[in-house]
């Protein structure tokens, strides 16, 4: 049996999405910038996808821009805000457990002289709002923060964070990395009143190579990519048309199903974690198990077991998981996310991230739990010889 529990890394595209992508590749392959009919027809399809996604996120169509993925969306937003506002201030704020596509930017600009505050996290992956408030000053031009952490699933209170920011410095922009939150939480961008919001297609059963960025109407970004002025100059370069149309299809399906699917995923996760707690000794659940955690992410440390060894044991039996985020798995050293919430070295070394989708069945979860229990037992027996 094959059980895929790495859905925070990427998801299986829906059949309807694959059909749309194939159609665009085979039939509607015109360049949307072309002036002839084939180009105009494709441009209409792109605008239709844009409208579908804007409606889902409750914002205007003109506030949605297509990119090559979540990393590019974060780069365009964070660098775009910094470069546009650098003359007004020299300070940004982020957290210690952001995705590498945000942390790497912060470290790059820090090396160029920008002042960066990295907010602490508590054991649950929550920031201290007083530390945030104390960190904001007249020169703070940006706060970049994720809505859902990609390794442990903690949901950050964006409304409360935004209130603190705007009460201290109304000119400070806020960028929210929404990549793991998109389709798992109710998101109303008008009510959130944030400045930019990034999201990705392949995390929601769409194709890889396409993402999105919300930019509030009155926010101006300095472009980091120059060229043919596609996407109104925010992201020049020929659009990934099959990807965008596939993404639109994935979201069109989600608008009817995402709430029920999120509830189903949570039930599967709860069922799985109970089996772990009931049947495997010396484990530490690093994710919250209530509504402060996204429904699809579960992080667990198996004490005395190296996560990479366990991953390959599981893989040999058809169960696919991860030890960290896919974007960090090739990096050296321990997970910066688990370090940031104060885990001990042996807890970090034995950590596995399980992430679920609506495709997972209880039969699969029973098999995965049994395989996990036996694998942990075998590894501990070998290492204790």
């Amino acid at each position: 049996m094959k059980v895929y529990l790495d859905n925070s890394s990427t998801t299986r595209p829906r059949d309807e999405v694959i059909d749309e992508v194939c159609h665009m590749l085979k039939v509607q392959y015109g360049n949307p910038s072309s002036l002839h009919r084939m180009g105009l027809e494709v441009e209409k399809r792109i605008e239709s996808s844009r409208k579908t996604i804007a409606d889902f996120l409750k914002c205007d169509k003109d506030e949605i821009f297509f990119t090559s993925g979540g990393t590019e969306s974060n780069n365009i937003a964070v660098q775009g805000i910094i470069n546009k506002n650098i003359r007004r201030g020299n300070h940004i704020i982020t957290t210690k457990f952001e995705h590498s596509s945000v942390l790497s930017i912060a470290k790059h600009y820090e090396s160029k002289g920008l002042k960066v505050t990295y907010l602490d996290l508590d054991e649950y992956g929550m920031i201290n709002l007083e530390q945030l408030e104390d960190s904001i000053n007249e020169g703070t031009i940006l706060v970049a923060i994720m809505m859902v952490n990609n390794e442990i699933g903690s949901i950050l209170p964006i409304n409360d964070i935004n209130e603190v920011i705007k009460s201290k410095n109304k000119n400070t922009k806020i960028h929210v990395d929404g990549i793991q939150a998109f389709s798992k939480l109710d998101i109303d961008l008008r009510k959130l009143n944030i400045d930019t919001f990034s999201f990705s297609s392949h995390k929601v059963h769409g194709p890889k190579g396409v993402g999105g960025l919300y930019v509030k109407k009155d926010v101006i970004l300095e472009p980091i990519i120059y060229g043919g002025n596609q996407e109104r100059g925010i992201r020049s370069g020929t659009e990934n048309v099959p990807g965008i149309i596939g993404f639109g299809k994935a979201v069109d399906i989600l608008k009817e199903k995402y709430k029920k699917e999120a509830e189903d995923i949570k039930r599967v996760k709860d069922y799985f974690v109970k089996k772990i707690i009931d049947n495997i000794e010396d484990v530490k659940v690093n994710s919250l198990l209530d509504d402060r955690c996204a429904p699809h992410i579960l992080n667990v440390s198996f004490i005395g077991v190296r996560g990479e060894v366990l991953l390959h044991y599981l893989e040999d039996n058809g169960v696919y998981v991860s030890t960290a985020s896919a974007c960090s798995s090739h990096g050296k050293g321990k997970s910066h996310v688990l370090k940031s919430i104060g885990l001990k070295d042996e807890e970090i070394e034995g950590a596995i991230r399980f992430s679920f989708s609506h495709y997972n069945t209880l039969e699969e979860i029973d098999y995965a739990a049994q395989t996990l229990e036996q694998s942990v037992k075998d590894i501990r027996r070998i290492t204790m010889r």
Side-chain angles (χ1 to χ4, degrees):
M1 180 182 284
K2 174 181 168 183
V3 185
Y4 184 73
L5 299 179
D6 196 18
N7 290 280
S8 290
S9 298
T10 194
T11 55
R12 169 182 151 190
R14 296 183 196 265
D15 291 345
E16 301 93 322
V17 168
I18 295 171
D19 290 344
E20 283 283 26
V21 170
C22 290
H23 172 81
M24 298 308 294
L25 288 169
K26 288 180 178 176
V27 182
Q28 288 190 284
Y29 48 82
N31 188 322
S33 295
S34 297
L35 296 180
H36 50 66
R37 190 189 313 153
M38 282 182 69
L40 294 175
E41 287 174 351
V42 169
E43 185 182 14
K44 285 181 184 175
R45 296 286 319 262
I46 288 179
E47 292 312 305
S48 176
S49 287
R50 199 186 310 277
K51 176 76 165 55
T52 298
I53 293 169
D55 289 346
F56 187 72
L57 289 171
K58 299 179 180 62
C59 64
D60 291 340
K61 184 169 76 71
D62 292 343
E63 294 173 314
I64 295 295
F65 298 85
F66 290 112
T67 70
S68 71
T71 289
E72 187 174 273
S73 296
N74 281 336
N75 270 269
I76 290 172
V78 175
Q79 293 199 59
I81 290 172
I82 292 173
N83 295 339
K84 188 67 185 176
N85 295 278
I86 194 71
R87 292 180 183 170
R88 189 171 56 74
N90 190 36
H91 177 233
I92 69 168
I93 297 172
T94 187
T95 76
K96 292 180 178 177
F97 78 167
E98 293 301 306
H99 187 270
S100 55
S101 61
V102 170
L103 279 181
S104 297
I105 301 169
K107 291 184 188 305
H108 169 73
Y109 280 91
E110 192 174 25
S111 73
K112 304 288 183 187
L114 195 75
K115 294 177 182 172
V116 182
T117 299
Y118 299 92
L119 297 175
D120 298 323
L121 287 308
D122 66 17
E123 61 184 302
Y124 306 113
M126 298 294 163
I127 66 165
N128 183 321
L129 293 177
E130 287 183 8
Q131 186 192 17
L132 170 64
E133 185 173 12
D134 292 344
S135 301
I136 299 169
N137 59 51
E138 288 186 357
T140 306
I141 54 177
L142 170 68
V143 175
I145 197 160
M146 53 183 20
M147 184 175 278
V148 168
N149 181 265
N150 51 318
E151 288 191 36
I152 58 174
S154 301
I155 301 172
L156 279 296
I158 300 300
N159 272 323
D160 297 340
I161 290 168
N162 202 19
E163 276 184 25
V164 170
I165 294 168
K166 297 306 179 189
S167 67
K168 194 78 183 286
N169 184 345
K170 62 182 175 55
N171 294 318
T172 300
K173 305 297 184 193
I174 176 168
H175 168 66
V176 174
D177 174 348
I179 291 162
Q180 293 293 343
F182 188 79
S183 88
K184 305 300 187 300
L185 308 180
D186 282 325
I187 297 170
D188 186 329
L189 289 176
R190 285 197 190 95
K191 287 183 180 174
L192 275 180
N193 193 29
I194 57 179
D195 295 292
T196 52
F197 180 90
S198 53
F199 50 97
S200 178
S201 162
H202 72 106
K203 309 291 190 185
V204 297
H205 305 288
K208 295 177 181 63
V210 60
L213 178 65
Y214 160 81
V215 182
K216 194 164 69 173
K217 267 186 182 158
D218 60 353
V219 174
I220 300 172
L221 303 180
E222 186 81 29
I224 60 170
I225 300 171
Y226 293 91
N229 217 35
Q230 288 90 347
E231 294 299 294
R232 285 161 283 153
I234 292 290
R235 197 275 183 185
S236 289
T238 302
E239 296 90 340
N240 173 2
V241 175
I244 291 170
I245 305 308
F247 191 11
K249 185 64 180 179
V251 175
D252 189 47
I253 295 169
L254 276 172
K255 70 184 180 186
E256 302 296 332
K257 295 186 173 181
Y258 83 98
K259 285 187 179 177
K260 183 179 183 311
E261 287 184 354
E263 290 169 2
D264 291 344
I265 293 168
K266 178 71 165 55
R267 270 194 290 275
V268 164
K269 184 176 83 169
D270 290 346
Y271 182 73
F272 185 65
V273 74
K274 185 173 186 312
K275 282 188 168 288
I276 291 176
I277 293 170
D278 287 349
N279 298 310
I280 305 178
E281 294 180 346
D282 292 329
V283 298
K284 181 179 187 305
V285 178
N286 304 316
S287 300
L288 290 160
L289 298 179
D290 55 26
D291 59 5
R292 292 173 293 170
C293 183
H296 61 307
I297 297 177
L298 173 68
N299 193 298
V300 182
S301 294
F302 299 88
I303 310 303
V305 175
R306 292 188 67 83
E308 284 186 15
V309 175
L310 180 54
L311 179 149
H312 291 302
Y313 257 74
L314 294 172
E315 177 190 21
D316 286 345
N317 289 285
V319 179
Y320 297 88
V321 300
S322 61
T323 52
S325 73
C327 299
S328 303
S329 60
H330 296 297
K332 295 179 180 177
K334 299 181 173 69
S335 161
H336 72 284
V337 172
L338 301 182
K339 272 187 193 175
S340 74
I341 61 170
L343 261 59
K344 300 172 187 170
D345 284 351
E346 64 172 355
E347 294 168 341
I348 296 174
E349 287 171 1
I352 292 285
R353 180 185 68 177
F354 307 93
S355 48
F356 307 85
S357 84
H358 70 279
Y359 285 120
N360 292 130
T361 64
L362 292 184
E363 183 187 8
E364 288 181 353
I365 296 304
D366 282 336
Y367 174 76
Q370 289 165 10
T371 305
L372 177 64
E373 182 185 354
Q374 188 60 50
S375 298
V376 170
K377 199 177 291 181
D378 289 348
I379 295 169
R380 284 177 175 162
R381 187 172 58 242
I382 293 168
T383 55
M384 289 176 70
R385 280 176 183 168

